[in-house]
């Protein structure tokens, strides 16, 4: 769910030059789930996109503590 949300919100809210998340998903890198996110938790999602490499970075934090992070890779 966290990966799906990252892609969904990147496609919905990010309007960066060269942003092409419509490309085919090809893999994941450095995915880390450090702390469970419970249904009542309020989290912050931080996104970044490196257009030249088709890489979407994400990080979920709760009260300043990292819950999960990683990179999703898309073909151009």
């Amino acid at each position: 769910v966290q990966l799906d949300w990252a892609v969904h919100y990147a496609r919905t809210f990010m309007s960066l030059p060269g942003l092409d998340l419509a490309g085919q998903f090809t893999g994941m890198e450095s995915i880390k789930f450090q702390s469970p996110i419970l249904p009542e938790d309020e989290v912050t999602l931080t996104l970044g996109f490196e257009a030249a490499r088709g890489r979407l970075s994400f990080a979920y934090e709760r009260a300043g503590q990292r819950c999960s992070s990683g990179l999703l890779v898309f073909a151009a």
Side-chain angles (χ1 to χ4, degrees):
V1 169
Q2 292 178 43
L3 304 179
D4 185 59
W5 286 348
V7 173
H8 169 78
Y9 287 114
R11 285 181 172 151
T12 302
F13 295 110
M14 297 177 79
S15 58
L16 301 171
L19 178 63
D20 184 13
L21 291 175
Q24 181 178 354
F25 173 77
T26 60
M28 301 178 282
E29 299 177 5
S30 306
I31 303 295
K32 295 184 175 142
F33 295 98
Q34 293 102 330
S35 177
I37 298 174
L38 303 176
E40 67 275 3
D41 289 344
E42 185 173 315
V43 296
T44 300
L45 170 60
T46 303
L47 298 167
F49 188 68
E50 186 181 350
R53 297 181 69 191
R55 293 165 40 134
L56 173 67
S57 63
F58 72 91
Y60 288 90
E61 293 186 351
R62 175 186 52 245
Q65 178 186 9
R66 176 81 38 107
C67 297
S68 61
S69 61
L71 296 167
L72 303 175
V73 183
F74 294 82

